[in-house]
Structures are given as structure tokens and as C-alpha cells.
Amino acid sequence: GSFPMCYGTEETKALPTFREQLDRYIAFRSADRKSGRAALKPKTAKEYRACIDNHFAEWADKPLDEISVPEVEKHMDALQAEKPYAAQQLHVLVGAVFKHDRHVKLDPPRLKEQTKMQRRKLDRSVPWGDRLAEIEDIDNIVIRTCWLIRWHTGSRENVLRGLTWNEVDLDKGTITFPRLKKDENPRTIAMSDTVRALFKRLEGLHPKWVFPSVRNGVHLDQLDRLGLTCPGDLRHLWHDAAMMTGTPLYMMRWLNGQNLKAGEVDMLGHYGEIDDLDAQRAAANAISAYIGKRCKVIGKTVLAEQKAAA
């Protein structure tokens, strides 16, 4: 799949195929970049290839200048009617691959109108006590504990599941995430006393992974397939708790793995790092205490109502 950077010369009479150009694009995005931007995750590269295999296979092995733009655009429009998000992903990926080399002066196929991404509505009707009961009903201690830690930290699922014991310091009560989204810099956060107790449940289960899977040497698979209604809401419930306890926005964003905005970095005065673990822990403890209190209060109310109905 290698070819010169200059096209249209005597040495090369054809442009690369789309798949060859995709390989180059992924290789560029996956390597260390002079711009300092984060490298592409292997999982994302796999998703890119799957998108092409599933929705662009008819054109993937054709040279770029032999791909019929009208045909592809007609295909994208039809795909959008059936699978709007897949069409949007294909639209963005095809455009990026076509434009990867400035020497390729071709207009990529485009959707007539980009897909409007719908915001998912949170289900705030489920009492927190019921959500806790749903988690506690999970038999597997690793899955159950992972859900609880996710709730009490506001962490994204993918960074939490991939934690190793080298990144969790139970003596200091800290978690160090090696990478958060597009931020390559590790981030150390203080865990609440509740979270530390939850981590201790899993101590000694596996020498490497904090959340080991039943398959040896692998961490848990995606949690959203493991039996909770509205699993993504837990991160938002953590945010509700942080708001109710008066946690400053910059502290919330630091604790739950968000990238800090420029204004928040300026006000910190620590180059965007909150190095005061005591302040972090105080905020984390307040949030965990609120979650626990609200779950118990609502749980008792639900129990009382059930008894009254009986």
C-alpha cells in the first residue's frame, strides 16, 4: 500500500485506492504527531475500518479518482434514512481520507445535509435508591463494584474499566488515569473514602487488572451490556450530586475526567492541575456522602410505600 507523495507523474499513473489512503491516514493519526495532538486509539482505528467494511466496501479498493462521487452521495443519503449516525460517521471519515494528502485535489463525497445528533434525555424518574438496588442485585462482584465506583467518581466507563493496580494507590487514596479522551497527560485524582472501600473489595482478585473479566488477562467488557437500565445516567447522577454539594465547576471537571477549559485553567494557577489532594478528597467525600444519603432516604420512602400498599 505504499506510493510516492507526488501523483500524476510518469512513475505513478494512478492515485492510491481508498483503503490504501485510509491506512496512511490511520498510520498518521496513530503515530506521535509534531502538533502534540493525541494519538488515535486502536479501538477508534478499528471502528474506522469497520465503518468502511460495512458501508463503503463497494468503493474501498478503487483508486480515489475512480470513485463515483454521485454514486457514493446517493448511497450516503440512503444510509442516512436507515442509519443516520453511520451515515454521519462515513461522511466525516471519507472526507478526512480524501483530504489527508494536500496533493490529492479531489472533492470528497458529501451528505446533502449532515445528520443532526440527538441529545439523549436523562430518565430522572428512577429513584436513586432503586438505581442502587438494581446495581446491588448484580451477582458478579467485579461488575457490581465497577458500577458503584463509576457512580461515585463520575468517570467514563472506558477509562475506568481499563485501570490497572499500578494506577490505583490505596495507601494514598488516589487514581491515576493515563489518558483522558484527547488529553495525553496523566491525571491523578483523590478518591473518596467510599471509593477506597469499594476498590479494597477487589484487592487480590487479579495481579494486573482492577476489574478483571472472566477471561484471563483481560479487563471487563463494555458495562452497558451488563444489565442496567439507562447505564449512562450514573455519570450524570454524579454531576447532580456534585452540583447539590456546591462543588466548583473546575473541581468537578478535574474529578470526573473532563478536559479543563482555558478559563478554568487560568483560574487554577496550577497549569490546569489541581495538586491539592486534600481539597480533592473533601469534594469527593461530600459527593459520595450525598449519593449515599439520597439513596438511603429514597430507598426508605419506597420501602414504606411498598409496605403501605401491602
Side-chain angles (χ1 to χ4, degrees):
S2 62
F3 42 86
M5 286 297 292
C6 247
Y7 308 121
T9 65
E10 289 296 324
E11 297 176 12
T12 173
K13 297 185 179 180
L15 292 181
T17 66
F18 181 89
R19 201 181 298 277
E20 288 171 334
Q21 189 78 329
L22 173 67
D23 289 341
R24 293 192 63 190
Y25 175 70
I26 289 175
F28 168 74
R29 290 283 309 279
S30 301
D32 290 333
R33 293 151 73 189
K34 294 176 183 177
S35 63
R37 290 180 177 271
L40 193 70
K41 290 183 178 180
K43 179 184 175 184
T44 307
K46 186 177 179 181
E47 288 174 357
Y48 285 174
R49 295 187 194 282
C51 177
I52 297 306
D53 289 341
N54 292 333
H55 306 298
F56 201 73
E58 184 178 344
W59 301 278
D61 295 308
K62 290 185 177 182
L64 292 175
D65 56 347
E66 293 181 22
I67 293 173
S68 170
V69 172
E71 279 184 20
V72 175
E73 290 183 339
K74 184 179 178 181
H75 166 72
M76 284 182 173
D77 287 339
L79 181 63
Q80 189 176 40
E82 183 184 351
K83 298 179 178 179
Y85 300 122
Q88 177 67 21
Q89 184 185 34
L90 183 63
H91 159 85
V92 172
L93 183 55
V94 167
V97 171
F98 263 77
K99 295 177 181 177
H100 176 57
D101 282 327
R102 287 170 291 181
H103 306 80
V104 179
K105 305 295 185 183
L106 295 172
D107 285 330
R110 294 182 175 90
L111 279 169
K112 286 189 178 72
E113 190 174 47
Q114 291 191 36
T115 305
K116 179 177 173 58
M117 296 298 165
Q118 300 295 325
R119 288 189 176 185
R120 184 177 61 82
K121 292 183 178 179
L122 300 183
D123 182 2
R124 298 190 182 277
S125 66
V126 180
W128 290 29
D130 289 1
R131 182 57 54 84
L132 177 61
E134 195 176 17
I135 296 173
E136 289 180 338
D137 279 345
I138 297 172
D139 289 335
N140 186 305
I141 187 175
V142 178
I143 298 171
R144 183 170 70 249
T145 305
C146 193
W147 276 122
L148 291 171
I149 291 175
R150 188 179 180 203
W151 192 351
H152 280 267
T153 58
S155 298
R156 289 186 182 87
E157 177 193 323
N158 60 330
V159 296
L160 194 61
R161 287 185 291 111
L163 281 177
T164 66
W165 284 112
N166 287 337
E167 295 155 354
V168 175
D169 191 325
L170 291 176
D171 293 331
K172 291 182 180 178
T174 60
I175 310 167
T176 300
F177 294 104
R179 169 178 170 170
L180 294 168
K181 256 195 164 179
K182 295 180 180 179
D183 185 2
E184 290 281 14
N185 299 316
R187 179 179 300 185
T188 297
I189 68 166
M191 61 179 81
S192 68
D193 296 338
T194 298
V195 171
R196 188 189 305 207
L198 288 169
F199 273 118
K200 280 188 170 292
R201 292 182 186 179
L202 306 177
E203 224 179 347
L205 289 183
H206 193 275
K208 178 181 179 181
W209 301 110
V210 177
F211 304 105
S213 170
V214 290
R215 296 176 294 167
N216 291 331
V218 182
H219 62 70
L220 277 181
D221 289 325
Q222 290 185 10
L223 280 177
D224 59 10
R225 298 175 186 167
L226 303 176
L228 275 197
T229 57
C230 306
D233 286 2
L234 290 182
R235 184 167 159 86
H236 298 282
L237 296 184
W238 178 92
H239 180 266
D240 285 354
M243 292 286 287
M244 293 302 294
T245 54
T247 307
L249 181 59
Y250 69 84
M251 182 68 79
M252 276 194 264
R253 294 178 71 83
W254 181 265
L255 290 175
N256 80 346
Q258 294 282 356
N259 291 335
L260 294 174
K261 294 179 181 176
E264 292 159 352
V265 171
D266 291 341
M267 67 187 288
L268 287 176
H270 295 291
Y271 301 102
E273 295 185 9
I274 303 175
D275 52 10
D276 186 344
L277 288 176
D278 290 336
Q280 288 187 47
R281 199 174 323 279
N285 277 331
I287 294 168
S288 280
Y290 179 87
I291 292 171
K293 181 180 178 182
R294 182 158 175 179
C295 284
K296 287 176 183 175
V297 169
I298 293 177
K300 288 177 182 176
T301 303
V302 171
L303 186 62
E305 289 173 352
Q306 289 173 344
K307 285 181 178 178

